[in-house]
Amino acid sequence: MIDFSKKGFTDEKLIELYKLLLKPRLIEEKMLILLRQGKISKWFSGIGQEAISVGVTSILATDEYILPMHRNLGVFTTKKVPLNRLFSQWQGKANGFTNGRDRSFHFGTNEYHIIGMISHLGPQMGVANGVALANLLSKNNQVTAVFSGEGGTSEGDFHEALNVASVWSLPVMFCIEHNGYGLSTPSSQQMKNQNVADKGIGYGMESYTIDGNNILEVYTKMDKIAQSIRKKPRPVLIEFKTFRMRGHEEASGTKYVPKELLDTWALKDPLENYASFLRDEKILTEVMEVEFKQEIIREINENLDIAFAESEINSTIENELSAIYKTFNYNEVNPNIVKEKIRLVDAISNGLRQSMEKHDNLVIMGQDIAEYGGVFKITDGFLEQFGKERIRNTPICESTIIEAAYGLSIKGYKTVVELQFSDFVTSGFNPVINLLAKSYYRWNQQADIVLRMPCGAGVGAGPFHSQTNEAWFTKTPGLKVIYPAFPYDAKGLLATAIDDPNPVLFFEHKALYRSIYQEVPTDYYTIPFGKAALLHEGNDITLISYGQGVHWILNTLKLAEFSSVKADVIDLRSLQPLDTEAIYKSVKKTGRVIILQEDTMFGGIASDLSAMITEECFSYLDAPIKRIASLETPVPFAVALEKNFLPNERFKLALKEILEY
Ligand SMILES: Cc1ncc(C[n+]2csc(CCOP(=O)(O)OP(=O)(O)O)c2C)c(N)n1
Ligand SMILES: [Mg+2]
């Protein structure tokens, strides 16, 4: 049924490939039994598709990265990951790769140069781009292989990743396993193309179709492609024709798959056909077959014993909470004495430039940031100073660029991604929430990335260029969220954000960019996260805000009608981590508090602070805690409407009300 050609292979190599194919098959057969016995939870079968995982992995160098999906057990076995650790992983035990924190095939291991998937499928392809970009930047001639099913190619991630890989000539092999179904959906309902390979032309990309059930064809053709990419870096799209012989996962069955299809493809089984070819060629004898099987079954059983003997995982609340962020040893650099009076926008630009000078491994990516200098001109002149490899204009594709930043991080790079407007982070929301935020907790992999977020209203820019969306991220464990209100803070906090190996969302208010000046030290310095600034001191009331809200408070206190008010004014500066100590200390002193936020009310920072203050300071309060926020509408465009939307005027009324309470 399959046309094997042993040209170029020694008998030893042919036998080695047979054993590599046999191993995942035998492991799976065992896992299916354990699944029925309730000893493992979920199983995604790759039976019938093993030649692809095994073939692609076999042609990679040991230190070349591979990014598998949920049907690629053969990647792990071919990379020689110890079986007891695989079994522990599936049992949620400590000897696995995620400390019991993630399941099934959602795991990777840098030791074996495997990056695990997240459930969302498509992001793998963007991450592969980042790894490939790191390889390109360090000129190591390595190729990266990434997998997807044909279903995953319907995701935007696929299109964005192929486009960027093509534009940047990234050395990636996009390996698409076309196995007929995505869960219950046949390919015909997934796409109009007969062949996934036909999609390559849309991205100006070379593409091939390979018989995915023919181990020798997979090996020979992939080896040739990989060697060529190592010499001449570029992406290649490879479609492997194959079939999914079992259900999407074991519980869901194959009722919806026509029996004839299953029967036809059963005749093309990659292992059976290869074995019979080797037998015909007198390379494999029945004695050898039995011996190999026994050897592997023994290895499986011995390793299962180890995994079953391992105790169930246990952890403490402290241990779990401390696993969210990579430990960051704050590197205090004091400011120099020489200062210059500059705007917020200049402070951010200076700070970013000095971090680029300090960290050779720092790359900046964003739309229009190179020749054009960014829409706010923060990276003006950077291209000339740091070159086009480190100052990277990107196509319009937030998602895949954030995924690429993550790939860079895995290879030891730091990345600052400039979102053109913080509103556009919605187009990259998935990788922020699911890839970056959860990475360290899932597999101790840092995501050394700063997302710069020009945000905020008061600039007449309407619903899509005015949002202040920090609360979308403070809600998600694993992210740090910084929101300076002054040039001095912005410069020092940005330096810390870049130094910190954890993912940081760095909010920069557009209305403050060119309106707020301050004396700022000329050299590099840092400011620690999680420390609020007490801008005014007084016993009457505590006024808490961040970003533009801080300036509304300060300006209100300058008005004649409030000239006698003695207030503690707290600028949070950092929302995650949060300086709760400074908040409680002040509220316990004043007994009155207003929290002012530019964001709309429900689910915002003010609501949580209010709840926390109630829990910690209830008996100290002399008045109800007051939250002031924008109206629960999108941000309107017209001046009068935007003024009405923003909470500035309502804050003044609230201040009177709470002082008089
Ligand atoms: C964003 C997203 N949508 C839906 C799913 C649910 N899901 C998981 S795998 C899968 C089918 C994937 O099909 P394909 O890419 O062809 O891979 P195959 O399972 O056939 O190997 C679906 C729908 C998901 N994990 N992520
Ligand atoms: Mg599929």
Side-chain angles (χ1 to χ4, degrees):
M1 290 302 295
I2 298 176
D3 192 13
F4 291 102
S5 161
K6 61 173 190 169
K7 196 163 160 256
F9 290 93
T10 62
D11 287 0
E12 288 73 39
K13 189 72 195 177
L14 293 170
I15 289 293
E16 182 196 323
L17 287 174
Y18 172 71
K19 289 206 244 176
L20 288 172
L21 266 185
L22 187 59
K23 194 183 255 189
R25 176 68 58 94
L26 293 177
I27 293 175
E28 275 214 44
E29 285 173 357
K30 184 75 186 178
M31 290 305 122
L32 295 179
I33 295 169
L34 294 179
L35 190 74
R36 271 176 236 127
Q37 294 172 347
K39 290 184 178 160
I40 55 170
S41 68
K42 213 173 170 71
W43 191 257
F44 293 92
S45 174
I47 286 180
Q49 301 181 215
E50 295 98 330
I52 305 163
S53 302
V54 170
V56 174
T57 313
S58 295
I59 59 94
L60 293 178
T62 317
D63 55 354
E64 284 178 327
Y65 267 93
I66 188 160
L67 294 87
M69 296 300 290
H70 47 288
R71 290 189 207 291
N72 296 121
L73 172 61
V75 167
F76 295 87
T77 53
T78 306
K79 278 273 189 189
K80 307 254 177 309
V81 177
L83 298 192
N84 70 307
R85 296 201 63 194
L86 290 181
F87 299 148
S88 290
Q89 170 65 27
W90 296 321
Q91 292 174 26
K93 290 181 173 169
N95 263 340
F97 297 93
T98 60
N99 276 311
R101 293 175 187 143
D102 209 341
R103 67 176 193 174
S104 58
F105 279 94
H106 303 163
F107 66 100
T109 146
N110 279 309
E111 197 184 336
Y112 294 91
H113 300 88
I114 299 171
I115 300 172
M117 65 183 289
I118 64 168
S119 274
H120 298 65
L121 316 168
Q124 280 294 69
M125 292 175 268
V127 179
N129 277 349
V131 172
L133 176 58
N135 290 334
L136 205 59
L137 293 177
S138 52
K139 301 185 173 57
N140 61 13
N141 302 322
Q142 288 190 355
V143 66
T144 301
V146 60
F147 285 97
S148 169
E150 85 290 344
T153 68
S154 299
E155 289 190 56
D157 285 295
F158 170 80
H159 303 277
E160 290 192 9
L162 264 67
N163 184 53
V164 168
S166 190
V167 172
W168 289 357
S169 299
L170 298 176
V172 183
M173 301 190 294
F174 292 95
C175 303
I176 312 303
E177 295 185 78
H178 192 168
N179 64 1
Y181 285 82
L183 216 158
S184 74
T185 305
S187 300
S188 58
Q189 291 178 32
Q190 200 73 245
M191 58 187 160
K192 203 73 181 161
N193 311 57
Q194 279 290 319
N195 307 307
V196 177
D198 295 344
K199 299 187 185 195
I201 196 166
Y203 308 99
M205 193 183 290
E206 199 176 319
S207 66
Y208 301 92
T209 300
I210 290 179
D211 177 355
N213 287 23
N214 181 338
I215 180 70
L216 299 185
E217 183 178 335
V218 174
Y219 189 98
T220 310
K221 290 194 173 163
M222 291 306 289
D223 192 35
K224 194 167 162 218
I225 293 168
Q227 288 190 36
S228 165
I229 293 177
R230 290 184 194 111
K231 282 201 202 90
K232 183 181 165 226
R234 64 190 191 283
V236 174
L237 174 65
I238 305 113
E239 173 185 22
F240 297 94
K241 299 278 192 198
T242 187
F243 201 75
R244 197 192 70 200
M245 296 305 293
R246 302 189 67 87
H248 168 63
E249 43 87 35
E250 278 311 306
S252 60
T254 51
K255 258 198 185 140
Y256 47 82
V257 183
K259 190 172 173 301
E260 312 81 73
L261 258 183
L262 280 169
D263 291 346
T264 314
W265 279 93
L267 299 175
K268 293 192 201 165
D269 182 86
L271 180 65
E272 291 306 322
N273 279 282
Y274 186 51
S276 94
F277 165 73
L278 293 180
R279 269 183 240 121
D280 292 349
E281 295 284 326
K282 310 264 180 289
I283 296 169
L284 182 70
T285 63
E286 265 175 43
V287 177
M288 284 163 82
E289 259 182 277
V290 172
E291 190 188 306
F292 295 155
K293 273 190 189 156
Q294 281 175 347
E295 194 182 309
I296 294 172
I297 288 172
R298 195 179 321 117
E299 186 191 351
I300 292 171
N301 287 334
E302 280 170 11
N303 282 282
L304 267 176
D305 287 345
I306 300 173
F308 278 124
E310 193 186 339
S311 55
E312 294 294 330
I313 204 157
N314 215 336
S315 188
T316 59
I317 290 176
E318 290 73 28
N319 191 38
E320 291 307 290
L321 290 176
S322 71
I324 287 288
Y325 299 107
K326 178 165 184 171
T327 306
F328 169 50
N329 297 315
Y330 170 63
N331 176 23
E332 183 174 346
V333 179
N334 290 315
N336 63 315
I337 296 164
V338 183
K339 292 180 182 164
E340 54 181 346
K341 193 170 182 183
I342 55 174
R343 304 165 301 177
L344 179 72
V345 73
D346 307 316
I348 293 169
S349 180
N350 288 356
L352 192 55
R353 184 188 295 274
Q354 287 167 0
S355 281
M356 282 295 285
E357 287 163 353
K358 184 171 161 16
H359 304 283
D360 289 340
N361 62 340
L362 175 59
V363 173
I364 306 181
M365 303 198 284
Q367 289 152 30
D368 310 288
I369 63 152
E371 289 84 356
Y372 190 65
V375 289
F376 298 105
K377 299 295 167 201
I378 300 232
T379 52
D380 206 14
F382 280 40
L383 179 65
E384 290 73 18
Q385 187 176 349
F386 303 108
K388 64 180 189 319
E389 298 211 312
R390 294 177 67 200
I391 306 298
R392 307 190 72 88
N393 263 350
T394 73
I396 305 168
C397 48
E398 287 74 9
S399 218
T400 211
I401 292 303
I402 294 169
E403 291 154 12
Y406 182 66
L408 280 171
S409 180
I410 291 171
K411 293 285 286 182
Y413 283 83
K414 288 179 173 289
T415 312
V416 170
V417 177
E418 174 173 306
L419 277 303
Q420 201 154 64
F421 288 83
S422 74
D423 310 68
F424 301 147
V425 77
T426 42
S427 292
F429 205 57
N430 182 36
V432 179
I433 301 301
N434 291 313
L435 199 56
L436 311 193
K438 296 170 181 43
S439 179
Y440 197 74
Y441 185 71
R442 292 175 56 241
W443 67 303
N444 283 3
Q445 172 57 55
Q446 68 195 48
D448 197 346
I449 298 156
V450 176
L451 302 178
R452 290 193 33 245
M453 307 278 282
C455 66
V459 288
F464 309 112
H465 290 78
S466 304
Q467 295 169 89
T468 180
N469 43 11
E470 64 281 2
W472 299 352
F473 304 100
T474 47
K475 172 77 196 87
T476 303
L479 302 172
K480 296 191 179 183
V481 181
I482 304 301
Y483 204 141
F486 292 95
Y488 176 86
D489 289 344
K491 183 172 170 183
L493 287 166
L494 181 61
T496 305
I498 293 169
D499 225 12
D500 192 319
N502 294 289
V504 180
L505 286 108
F506 193 85
F507 286 84
E508 306 168 4
H509 203 294
K510 303 189 297 283
L512 307 181
Y513 266 161
R514 291 179 163 74
S515 64
I516 302 298
Y517 285 76
Q518 211 178 20
E519 292 284 341
V520 177
T522 51
D523 291 350
Y524 178 94
Y525 63 94
T526 58
I527 294 175
F529 287 176
K531 296 263 179 267
L534 187 58
L535 302 180
H536 264 233
E537 279 190 69
N539 292 331
D540 297 346
I541 190 165
T542 300
L543 304 173
I544 303 172
S545 194
Y546 53 94
Q548 182 163 236
V550 173
H551 297 280
W552 288 332
I553 292 175
L554 294 176
N555 290 337
T556 301
L557 292 177
K558 281 185 203 147
L559 299 174
E561 59 182 306
F562 296 113
S563 60
S564 62
V565 176
K566 303 277 180 291
D568 265 6
V569 177
I570 295 178
D571 172 5
L572 293 173
R573 303 196 293 189
S574 164
L575 304 177
Q576 175 56 264
L578 187 64
D579 191 351
T580 49
E581 205 179 308
I583 297 166
Y584 299 152
K585 190 174 161 208
S586 173
V587 175
K588 284 178 183 174
K589 181 184 77 173
T590 65
R592 289 167 203 269
V593 58
I594 300 177
I595 310 150
L596 170 62
Q597 74 184 21
E598 180 180 326
D599 191 8
T600 54
M601 181 78 86
F602 195 85
I605 307 296
S607 298
D608 262 285
L609 287 191
S610 165
M612 290 160 77
I613 293 167
T614 307
E615 284 166 8
E616 282 292 319
C617 312
F618 184 69
S619 59
Y620 295 85
L621 292 172
D622 297 322
I625 301 167
K626 190 79 182 169
R627 297 170 301 154
I628 297 294
S630 288
L631 297 184
E632 299 279 339
T633 68
V635 188
F637 161 63
V639 177
L641 295 186
E642 191 181 34
K643 198 157 174 257
N644 200 33
F645 166 83
L646 290 171
N648 194 4
E649 292 306 316
R650 292 188 293 280
F651 167 66
K652 292 171 192 165
L653 299 176
L655 183 54
K656 268 202 209 109
E657 177 197 326
I658 297 299
L659 284 168
E660 285 164 10
Y661 187 90

PDB file of all heavy atoms in Angstrom, residues 497-510:
ATOM      1  N   ALA A 497      11.002  47.046  34.523  1.00  0.00           N
ATOM      2  CA  ALA A 497      10.138  46.139  33.749  1.00  0.00           C
ATOM      3  C   ALA A 497      10.970  45.315  32.771  1.00  0.00           C
ATOM      4  O   ALA A 497      10.744  44.115  32.593  1.00  0.00           O
ATOM      5  CB  ALA A 497       9.079  46.939  32.994  1.00  0.00           C
ATOM      6  N   ILE A 498      11.948  45.957  32.161  1.00  0.00           N
ATOM      7  CA  ILE A 498      12.778  45.260  31.171  1.00  0.00           C
ATOM      8  C   ILE A 498      13.750  44.309  31.864  1.00  0.00           C
ATOM      9  O   ILE A 498      14.032  43.217  31.375  1.00  0.00           O
ATOM     10  CB  ILE A 498      13.497  46.292  30.263  1.00  0.00           C
ATOM     11  CG1 ILE A 498      12.456  47.014  29.401  1.00  0.00           C
ATOM     12  CG2 ILE A 498      14.559  45.621  29.394  1.00  0.00           C
ATOM     13  CD1 ILE A 498      12.957  48.218  28.650  1.00  0.00           C
ATOM     14  N   ASP A 499      14.226  44.714  33.024  1.00  0.00           N
ATOM     15  CA  ASP A 499      15.137  43.863  33.807  1.00  0.00           C
ATOM     16  C   ASP A 499      14.420  42.606  34.320  1.00  0.00           C
ATOM     17  O   ASP A 499      14.983  41.517  34.348  1.00  0.00           O
ATOM     18  CB  ASP A 499      15.631  44.680  35.020  1.00  0.00           C
ATOM     19  CG  ASP A 499      17.118  44.513  35.220  1.00  0.00           C
ATOM     20  OD1 ASP A 499      17.783  43.973  34.319  1.00  0.00           O
ATOM     21  OD2 ASP A 499      17.623  44.930  36.284  1.00  0.00           O
ATOM     22  N   ASP A 500      13.182  42.783  34.724  1.00  0.00           N
ATOM     23  CA  ASP A 500      12.389  41.693  35.313  1.00  0.00           C
ATOM     24  C   ASP A 500      12.103  40.622  34.252  1.00  0.00           C
ATOM     25  O   ASP A 500      11.645  40.942  33.149  1.00  0.00           O
ATOM     26  CB  ASP A 500      11.055  42.298  35.821  1.00  0.00           C
ATOM     27  CG  ASP A 500      10.281  41.332  36.712  1.00  0.00           C
ATOM     28  OD1 ASP A 500      10.228  40.127  36.399  1.00  0.00           O
ATOM     29  OD2 ASP A 500       9.705  41.789  37.707  1.00  0.00           O
ATOM     30  N   PRO A 501      12.373  39.350  34.548  1.00  0.00           N
ATOM     31  CA  PRO A 501      12.160  38.302  33.538  1.00  0.00           C
ATOM     32  C   PRO A 501      10.697  37.885  33.364  1.00  0.00           C
ATOM     33  O   PRO A 501      10.398  37.017  32.550  1.00  0.00           O
ATOM     34  CB  PRO A 501      12.967  37.125  34.096  1.00  0.00           C
ATOM     35  CG  PRO A 501      12.966  37.327  35.565  1.00  0.00           C
ATOM     36  CD  PRO A 501      12.951  38.809  35.800  1.00  0.00           C
ATOM     37  N   ASN A 502       9.790  38.500  34.097  1.00  0.00           N
ATOM     38  CA  ASN A 502       8.370  38.135  34.007  1.00  0.00           C
ATOM     39  C   ASN A 502       7.647  39.044  33.013  1.00  0.00           C
ATOM     40  O   ASN A 502       8.115  40.136  32.712  1.00  0.00           O
ATOM     41  CB  ASN A 502       7.734  38.271  35.393  1.00  0.00           C
ATOM     42  CG  ASN A 502       8.311  37.257  36.360  1.00  0.00           C
ATOM     43  OD1 ASN A 502       8.051  36.068  36.254  1.00  0.00           O
ATOM     44  ND2 ASN A 502       9.140  37.727  37.288  1.00  0.00           N
ATOM     45  N   PRO A 503       6.478  38.600  32.531  1.00  0.00           N
ATOM     46  CA  PRO A 503       5.745  39.441  31.571  1.00  0.00           C
ATOM     47  C   PRO A 503       5.147  40.681  32.255  1.00  0.00           C
ATOM     48  O   PRO A 503       4.465  40.554  33.271  1.00  0.00           O
ATOM     49  CB  PRO A 503       4.643  38.525  31.048  1.00  0.00           C
ATOM     50  CG  PRO A 503       4.498  37.436  32.059  1.00  0.00           C
ATOM     51  CD  PRO A 503       5.818  37.293  32.758  1.00  0.00           C
ATOM     52  N   VAL A 504       5.433  41.840  31.697  1.00  0.00           N
ATOM     53  CA  VAL A 504       4.976  43.099  32.295  1.00  0.00           C
ATOM     54  C   VAL A 504       4.156  43.875  31.274  1.00  0.00           C
ATOM     55  O   VAL A 504       4.584  44.037  30.127  1.00  0.00           O
ATOM     56  CB  VAL A 504       6.174  43.980  32.731  1.00  0.00           C
ATOM     57  CG1 VAL A 504       5.680  45.280  33.356  1.00  0.00           C
ATOM     58  CG2 VAL A 504       7.097  43.232  33.690  1.00  0.00           C
ATOM     59  N   LEU A 505       2.972  44.338  31.690  1.00  0.00           N
ATOM     60  CA  LEU A 505       2.206  45.272  30.858  1.00  0.00           C
ATOM     61  C   LEU A 505       2.484  46.662  31.392  1.00  0.00           C
ATOM     62  O   LEU A 505       2.239  46.941  32.565  1.00  0.00           O
ATOM     63  CB  LEU A 505       0.714  44.932  30.901  1.00  0.00           C
ATOM     64  CG  LEU A 505       0.466  43.669  30.078  1.00  0.00           C
ATOM     65  CD1 LEU A 505       0.147  42.494  30.954  1.00  0.00           C
ATOM     66  CD2 LEU A 505      -0.606  43.912  29.047  1.00  0.00           C
ATOM     67  N   PHE A 506       3.016  47.510  30.527  1.00  0.00           N
ATOM     68  CA  PHE A 506       3.491  48.814  30.945  1.00  0.00           C
ATOM     69  C   PHE A 506       2.599  49.883  30.309  1.00  0.00           C
ATOM     70  O   PHE A 506       2.674  50.130  29.105  1.00  0.00           O
ATOM     71  CB  PHE A 506       4.950  48.988  30.497  1.00  0.00           C
ATOM     72  CG  PHE A 506       5.646  50.149  31.125  1.00  0.00           C
ATOM     73  CD1 PHE A 506       6.250  50.037  32.369  1.00  0.00           C
ATOM     74  CD2 PHE A 506       5.692  51.372  30.468  1.00  0.00           C
ATOM     75  CE1 PHE A 506       6.896  51.116  32.955  1.00  0.00           C
ATOM     76  CE2 PHE A 506       6.330  52.453  31.046  1.00  0.00           C
ATOM     77  CZ  PHE A 506       6.938  52.328  32.285  1.00  0.00           C
ATOM     78  N   PHE A 507       1.736  50.479  31.117  1.00  0.00           N
ATOM     79  CA  PHE A 507       0.754  51.444  30.598  1.00  0.00           C
ATOM     80  C   PHE A 507       1.341  52.858  30.558  1.00  0.00           C
ATOM     81  O   PHE A 507       1.929  53.311  31.530  1.00  0.00           O
ATOM     82  CB  PHE A 507      -0.521  51.400  31.446  1.00  0.00           C
ATOM     83  CG  PHE A 507      -1.340  50.170  31.167  1.00  0.00           C
ATOM     84  CD1 PHE A 507      -1.059  48.968  31.809  1.00  0.00           C
ATOM     85  CD2 PHE A 507      -2.352  50.198  30.220  1.00  0.00           C
ATOM     86  CE1 PHE A 507      -1.790  47.821  31.520  1.00  0.00           C
ATOM     87  CE2 PHE A 507      -3.088  49.060  29.926  1.00  0.00           C
ATOM     88  CZ  PHE A 507      -2.806  47.866  30.572  1.00  0.00           C
ATOM     89  N   GLU A 508       1.128  53.506  29.416  1.00  0.00           N
ATOM     90  CA  GLU A 508       1.641  54.870  29.215  1.00  0.00           C
ATOM     91  C   GLU A 508       0.462  55.713  28.756  1.00  0.00           C
ATOM     92  O   GLU A 508      -0.120  55.435  27.702  1.00  0.00           O
ATOM     93  CB  GLU A 508       2.720  54.857  28.120  1.00  0.00           C
ATOM     94  CG  GLU A 508       3.832  53.854  28.402  1.00  0.00           C
ATOM     95  CD  GLU A 508       4.738  53.635  27.179  1.00  0.00           C
ATOM     96  OE1 GLU A 508       4.554  54.316  26.149  1.00  0.00           O
ATOM     97  OE2 GLU A 508       5.625  52.773  27.283  1.00  0.00           O
ATOM     98  N   HIS A 509       0.107  56.709  29.557  1.00  0.00           N
ATOM     99  CA  HIS A 509      -1.082  57.483  29.197  1.00  0.00           C
ATOM    100  C   HIS A 509      -0.783  58.519  28.117  1.00  0.00           C
ATOM    101  O   HIS A 509       0.051  59.394  28.305  1.00  0.00           O
ATOM    102  CB  HIS A 509      -1.675  58.153  30.436  1.00  0.00           C
ATOM    103  CG  HIS A 509      -3.125  58.464  30.253  1.00  0.00           C
ATOM    104  ND1 HIS A 509      -3.561  59.394  29.326  1.00  0.00           N
ATOM    105  CD2 HIS A 509      -4.230  57.939  30.818  1.00  0.00           C
ATOM    106  CE1 HIS A 509      -4.885  59.444  29.355  1.00  0.00           C
ATOM    107  NE2 HIS A 509      -5.318  58.562  30.243  1.00  0.00           N
ATOM    108  N   LYS A 510      -1.530  58.411  27.022  1.00  0.00           N
ATOM    109  CA  LYS A 510      -1.272  59.280  25.873  1.00  0.00           C
ATOM    110  C   LYS A 510      -1.489  60.758  26.186  1.00  0.00           C
ATOM    111  O   LYS A 510      -0.778  61.612  25.679  1.00  0.00           O
ATOM    112  CB  LYS A 510      -2.191  58.898  24.705  1.00  0.00           C
ATOM    113  CG  LYS A 510      -2.068  57.447  24.277  1.00  0.00           C
ATOM    114  CD  LYS A 510      -2.841  57.203  23.000  1.00  0.00           C
ATOM    115  CE  LYS A 510      -4.339  57.436  23.154  1.00  0.00           C
ATOM    116  NZ  LYS A 510      -5.026  56.328  23.852  1.00  0.00           N
TER     117      LYS A 510
END
